[in-house]
Amino acid sequence: MSETGHWQDPAAGGPQHQPHPAHAPLPQLPPPLPGHSDPYQGPGTGLSHTSAYWAHQGPAAHRRKARGTAVKVTNIILLCVFGLVALLTLAFFAVSIGANVFLICGALALVPLAICVATLRWVDRWEPEPVPALILGFCWGAGMSVVTTLVLGSWVQPLLMSGSSAADPDMVNAVIQAPIVEEICKGAGLLLLFFLRRRTFDGPVDGVVYAGIIAAGFAFTENVLYFGQALQEANGTTTGLVGIFLMRGLMSPFAHVMFTATLGVCVGWAARNGGTLLVLGAWVAGLIPAMFLHGLWNSSSFLGGSFFIEYVVLQMPLFALFIVGIILLRRSEARLTRRRLSDYVPSGWFTQQEVPMLATGAGRRRALAWSKTFGAGPVMKEFIRLATRLAFTRQRLLVDARGHGVAAARFAAGQEQELDLLNKITAVRSELLGRHASVVWQAKNMQQPGF
């Protein structure tokens, strides 16, 4: 067995034993940190000013179990329903274009889907969303949003054409109808995920990931249909299929993801900073940029030879801005994690050294490398995951503390979740440090003569 590694730079962060139980009320914290606009509130200040905040008992086991069971059952039922709708939708297209054509086009549609999913998982690395929620979102996009788009589209197009009979139906359908109907149908799935996963829907990055996975599912089914039509119209030749695959599969795999992600940013921002009414308002407002970008992209198909100029001059810069925005949002998540975990330092739940370890990319990498030297990598990952979940729970508590009524009820539930996370973090830290101490003890004994 190799000798366990040691934390080379304790000042840069490392798991520490708690010096004493931290259930006392906190002293007044220092003024806001330079460069931060939000108040540096901590437990024991404006949010929690009594010792009961730290000393109250955890929620009864049967209450958490009943609530958790109901949520799980609801999610399982919806996942089965949306999954079945997605399968039936794909089966309908398979019958429409033929089984052999469907298999070929389905395999091609998996290429842009894999690119989108891999990218969204990278975006979601800081605080990963539950996999069942991502699957549910994908099934909504691949099935329900496609079905509702077809139904609503058959009603909307006659309404749009009734106002101008001289308009080109194809242009109206691509530039006006499709952006309106498709973004509303995809956005409905995002709103559903917000209500189903409100406790883990924490900010703009979550909105981007959920909206992106819905859009990726929608694009997958749509690509199967477009690829199939191209192959059928070419009378067996692959020229048309290759062209549309290059266009939709390789040149613009993120098109739908980008459109709906703008809606996700708006909903995620509202979820972090307010209640249900703010989220609903942000959802309506977020549809506007989503529809605009969608219509702008679809209009390029009517430019003919000018398409590639528009693609280079407009679409590629928009994609670059999208990437920059994602990077900035991820950095914002890291800063928020550090601020909120710092709230727990005065009470002793975290040490000052642990905060940068848990709230910076470099600190997390060093911590994981250190833990792997004594076989505790999964434990450290759980420690990081719980701490990140705690930071976002803390942020939601700060928001709900300002509200009344429903917000006050969410605040009480959030306190229960916070205490539960704190207790879990304490247990995981103890396991991590216990493993380290055990391996160090064994290594020392093996070096003694006569061992």
Side-chain angles (χ1 to χ4, degrees):
M1 178 173 57
S2 61
E3 183 178 355
T4 179
H6 299 280
W7 194 260
Q8 300 296 329
D9 184 13
Q16 304 286 327
H17 288 289
Q18 297 302 302
H20 54 78
H23 291 293
L26 298 179
Q28 183 69 30
L29 291 182
L33 295 174
H36 296 290
S37 58
D38 62 324
Y40 187 90
Q41 298 186 66
T45 59
L47 175 60
S48 52
H49 53 273
T50 66
S51 59
Y53 182 78
W54 298 108
H56 69 276
Q57 298 297 318
H62 69 278
R63 286 179 59 194
R64 289 207 309 270
K65 182 176 180 181
R67 182 169 56 193
T69 301
V71 171
K72 289 180 180 179
V73 170
T74 301
N75 279 275
I76 290 173
I77 292 175
L78 290 176
L79 181 59
C80 292
V81 170
F82 296 155
L84 179 61
V85 172
L87 290 175
L88 291 175
T89 302
L90 292 172
F92 173 78
F93 289 147
V95 173
S96 300
I97 64 178
N100 293 334
V101 173
F102 175 80
L103 292 176
I104 296 172
C105 298
L108 291 175
L110 287 175
V111 175
L113 176 63
I115 295 172
C116 291
V117 171
T119 303
L120 290 170
R121 294 295 287 172
W122 174 80
V123 172
D124 198 32
R125 284 179 62 190
W126 187 260
E127 194 252 334
E129 304 309 310
V131 174
L134 297 177
I135 297 175
L136 189 149
F138 174 81
C139 290
W140 174 278
M144 285 295 296
S145 62
V146 175
V147 173
T148 52
T149 292
L150 293 175
V151 173
L152 290 178
S154 63
W155 297 343
V156 171
Q157 187 175 23
L159 293 176
L160 295 175
M161 293 301 300
S162 62
S164 177
S165 57
D168 183 358
D170 292 335
M171 181 173 290
V172 170
N173 177 67
V175 180
I176 301 178
Q177 176 200 319
I180 292 175
V181 175
E182 291 179 12
E183 296 308 322
I184 289 176
C185 293
K186 289 184 290 182
L190 179 65
L191 204 58
L192 176 64
L193 280 173
F194 165 75
F195 287 111
L196 290 176
R197 296 285 179 172
R198 186 164 193 157
R199 295 178 68 180
T200 59
F201 204 120
D202 299 309
V205 173
D206 290 357
V208 168
V209 172
Y210 282 135
I213 201 68
I214 292 172
F218 182 91
F220 171 75
T221 303
E222 190 180 57
N223 282 337
V224 171
L225 181 61
Y226 275 105
F227 294 165
Q229 289 178 342
L231 193 59
Q232 287 181 328
E233 292 173 0
N235 296 322
T237 63
T238 60
T239 304
L241 177 60
V242 171
I244 196 170
F245 172 74
L246 292 174
M247 182 70 63
R248 296 182 61 90
L250 299 181
M251 292 180 63
S252 59
F254 298 104
H256 273 288
V257 172
M258 287 175 56
F259 308 151
T260 316
T262 59
L263 171 61
V265 170
C266 296
V267 173
W269 174 87
R272 174 174 290 175
N273 295 284
T276 303
L277 290 179
L278 183 61
V279 169
L280 293 175
W283 184 82
V284 174
L287 286 172
I288 297 174
M291 293 174 181
F292 173 76
L293 291 176
H294 196 155
L296 185 65
W297 169 256
N298 285 359
S299 66
S300 63
S301 62
F302 296 92
L303 296 178
S306 302
F307 166 79
F308 289 100
I309 297 177
E310 190 266 352
Y311 179 81
V312 173
V313 173
L314 183 61
Q315 299 299 337
M316 290 184 66
L318 285 175
F319 179 71
L321 287 175
F322 177 76
I323 296 298
V324 171
I326 293 296
I327 294 173
L328 294 177
L329 288 176
R330 288 190 59 181
R331 291 181 177 178
S332 174
E333 279 203 331
R335 290 194 299 269
L336 184 143
T337 303
R338 186 162 189 162
R339 290 199 300 269
R340 295 289 79 90
L341 291 184
S342 296
D343 291 350
Y344 296 97
V345 172
S347 63
W349 286 106
F350 288 95
T351 66
Q352 190 65 52
Q353 292 78 20
E354 283 179 319
V355 173
M357 179 195 77
L358 296 166
T360 64
R364 289 182 173 190
R365 288 189 293 270
R366 287 196 299 268
L368 287 170
W370 171 74
S371 63
K372 289 176 182 178
T373 62
F374 56 96
V379 183
M380 178 60 78
K381 287 182 179 180
E382 180 67 3
F383 189 39
I384 293 172
R385 185 190 70 83
L386 290 172
T388 309
R389 167 73 9 227
L390 175 67
F392 286 103
T393 300
R394 171 72 178 168
Q395 176 65 24
R396 192 167 62 250
L397 280 171
L398 290 171
V399 173
D400 290 340
R402 302 194 299 260
H404 304 281
V406 177
R410 288 201 308 267
F411 177 77
Q415 283 187 305
E416 294 181 357
Q417 185 184 7
E418 179 192 39
L419 182 61
D420 183 53
L421 287 168
L422 286 167
N423 290 331
K424 287 180 179 179
I425 286 169
T426 301
V428 172
R429 180 194 288 110
S430 298
E431 180 182 358
L432 181 66
L433 296 174
R435 288 194 184 189
H436 179 257
S438 175
V439 174
V440 169
W441 180 83
Q442 293 178 27
K444 288 183 178 178
N445 284 340
M446 290 177 63
Q447 294 175 358
Q448 294 178 0
F451 181 79

